[in-house]
């Protein structure tokens, strides 16, 4: 497994493989890898000649400096996992390799997909995500790139970015990986106690209830029920939305042709967790 730290090494790897006519599957991550990252990586391996993972904790997508500082980092364990999984290459550039001496986001038009939910509660988050993904797409020019539905709004933002800037990558959305109790796998779960992990299951339970009520109760009544369930649990809900995934706008009344999902952000033991579930 090759490990690249500089932008120049990544360009050389790209050009060499392009000359050989090899397809390249790319999985961008922030490290602290778990089974969901490996599921994306396996899909990249299955669908491409070469599979590449990046590990880069992107400073510009953190609106809160403490959150950035506390984000779990475990690069040795990550590299061992990726080696065992048979990945071809890992990109681990420094912040200056990606940003030079200007660590800031570009002003990109994200068609309003970045406005509500994560965009509202983490101002600047998607500008940071779009900036770093654009940079990686341009550096590596992958054939396909794999993103989890766990971060659904991010997936939609990147699909738009890729399309509007004609970056030429096939963006592939992959289903959310959950544990047996339904809790979405997340690097942030590493910061939860055993009790916290059990408490966090309330998110999926509430979403699953919402799905069972879709078409029976109004979106507003479903949101109220979910909010009450979460507020009565040890979690502290931050936002709750039922949105149409085509434009990420809130759904006030169910209508034909919608692709409705419920989106939740909640704190558990001071760790901020997000999840979403298709209601259809
Ligand atoms: P992260 O390291 O959290 O930035 O995640 C890297 C990629 O893995 C993103 O595309 C995430 O959406 C995806 N991912 C993280 N957790 C999950 C999960 N539980 N299921 C599916 N994809 C996930």
């Amino acid at each position: 497994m090759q490990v690249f730290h500089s932008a120049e090494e990544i360009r050389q790897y790209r050009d060499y493989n392009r000359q050989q006519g090899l397809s390249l599957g790319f999985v961008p991550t922030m490290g602290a890898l778990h089974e969901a990252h490996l599921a994306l990586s396996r899909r990249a391996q299955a669908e491409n000649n070469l599979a590449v993972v990046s590990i880069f904790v992107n400073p510009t997508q953190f609106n809160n400096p403490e959150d950035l500082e506390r984000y779990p980092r475990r690069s040795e364990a990550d590299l061992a996992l990726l080696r065992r999984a048979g990945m071809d290459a890992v990109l681990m550039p420094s912040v200056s390799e990606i940003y030079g001496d200007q660590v800031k986001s570009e002003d990109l038009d994200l068609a309003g997909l970045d406005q509500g939910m994560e965009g509202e509660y983490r101002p600047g988050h998607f500008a940071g995500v779009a900036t770093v993904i654009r940079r990686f797409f341009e550096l590596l020019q992958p054939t396909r790139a794999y993103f989890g539905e766990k971060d659904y709004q991010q997936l939609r933002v990147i699909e738009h970015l890729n399309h509007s800037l004609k970056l030429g990558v096939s963006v592939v959305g992959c289903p959310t990986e959950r544990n047996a109790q339904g809790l979405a796998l997340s690097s942030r779960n590493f910061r939860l106690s055993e009790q916290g992990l059990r408490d966090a299951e309330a998110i999926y339970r509430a979403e699953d209830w919402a799905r069972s009520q879709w078409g029976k109760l109004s979106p507003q009544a479903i949101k109220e029920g979910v909010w009450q369930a979460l507020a009565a649990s040890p979690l502290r809900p931050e936002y709750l939305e039922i949105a149409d995934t085509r434009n990420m706008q809130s759904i006030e009344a169910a209508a034909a042709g919608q692709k409705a999902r419920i989106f939740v952000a909640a704190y558990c033991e001071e760790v901020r967790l997000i999840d979403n579930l298709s209601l259809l």
Side-chain angles (χ1 to χ4, degrees):
M1 186 175 77
Q2 292 177 279
V3 181
F4 301 123
H5 295 280
S6 75
E8 189 45 36
E9 288 171 312
I10 299 170
R11 271 189 221 103
Q12 284 175 11
Y13 180 76
R14 166 195 81 197
D15 291 343
Y16 176 79
N17 289 310
R18 181 156 282 210
Q19 279 159 16
Q20 308 293 310
L22 298 177
S23 62
L24 220 151
F26 177 43
V27 182
T29 84
M30 298 207 297
L33 302 181
H34 47 70
E35 191 46 47
H37 296 115
L38 294 180
L40 265 59
S41 305
R42 282 193 291 271
R43 181 131 177 221
Q45 282 175 316
E47 297 178 356
N48 301 277
N49 297 122
L50 296 167
V52 178
V53 172
S54 63
I55 298 177
F56 182 71
V57 181
N58 174 34
T60 62
Q61 73 187 68
F62 286 83
N63 54 312
N64 174 348
E66 268 176 34
D67 195 25
L68 170 61
E69 202 176 299
R70 280 201 238 121
Y71 199 84
R73 290 169 174 83
R74 29 172 86 189
S75 33
E76 286 313 310
D78 288 348
L79 285 172
L81 266 181
L82 294 173
R83 212 170 267 124
R84 266 205 305 282
M87 300 304 290
D88 297 287
V90 178
L91 317 182
M92 293 181 81
S94 63
V95 170
S96 62
E97 282 293 323
I98 293 296
Y99 286 99
D101 51 15
Q102 297 259 357
V103 186
K104 63 178 195 212
S105 300
E106 289 170 64
D107 188 12
L108 296 161
D109 178 11
L110 301 174
L113 294 165
D114 57 329
Q115 291 302 302
M117 300 188 279
E118 291 302 281
E120 184 179 342
Y121 286 86
R122 301 184 70 186
H125 171 67
F126 287 120
V129 169
T131 299
V132 78
I133 293 297
R134 176 192 193 175
R135 182 91 178 108
F136 272 114
F137 277 13
E138 286 175 347
L139 265 181
L140 187 65
Q141 294 175 13
T143 317
R144 299 181 187 82
Y146 297 82
F147 295 87
E149 290 182 347
K150 153 89 164 40
D151 301 283
Y152 206 95
Q153 196 174 4
Q154 166 173 284
L155 170 63
R156 293 290 298 112
V157 161
I158 289 164
E159 284 173 343
H160 172 80
L161 179 82
N162 180 55
H163 183 75
S164 64
L165 298 182
K166 301 187 171 58
L167 299 177
V169 179
S170 271
V171 173
V172 183
C174 303
T176 301
E177 301 285 327
R178 303 179 178 280
N179 73 11
Q181 286 69 41
L183 174 64
L185 303 185
S186 166
S187 304
R188 291 169 187 267
N189 296 354
F190 288 124
R191 292 177 46 211
L192 296 175
S193 69
E194 295 219 344
Q195 183 60 48
L197 286 169
R198 280 194 296 275
D199 293 343
E201 292 165 14
I203 297 176
Y204 181 73
R205 268 202 306 278
E207 290 174 335
D208 195 40
W209 175 81
R211 180 163 54 187
S212 75
Q213 298 306 311
W214 186 247
K216 298 181 190 154
L217 298 179
S218 69
Q220 189 55 35
I222 293 176
K223 284 198 277 188
E224 278 167 21
V226 169
W227 188 273
Q228 276 166 18
L230 291 176
S233 80
L235 308 190
R236 181 160 54 88
E238 184 179 57
Y239 70 73
L240 179 58
E241 192 54 277
I242 293 178
D244 187 327
T245 57
R246 290 171 303 184
N247 55 15
M248 300 307 281
Q249 298 293 310
S250 179
I251 291 178
E252 308 299 338
Q258 280 167 340
K259 293 195 183 306
R261 277 187 177 251
I262 183 160
F263 294 84
V264 176
Y267 284 87
C268 179
E269 297 179 333
E270 302 309 313
V271 179
R272 186 174 184 279
L273 302 175
I274 60 169
D275 194 11
N276 67 88
L277 193 69
S278 172
L279 294 176
L280 303 174

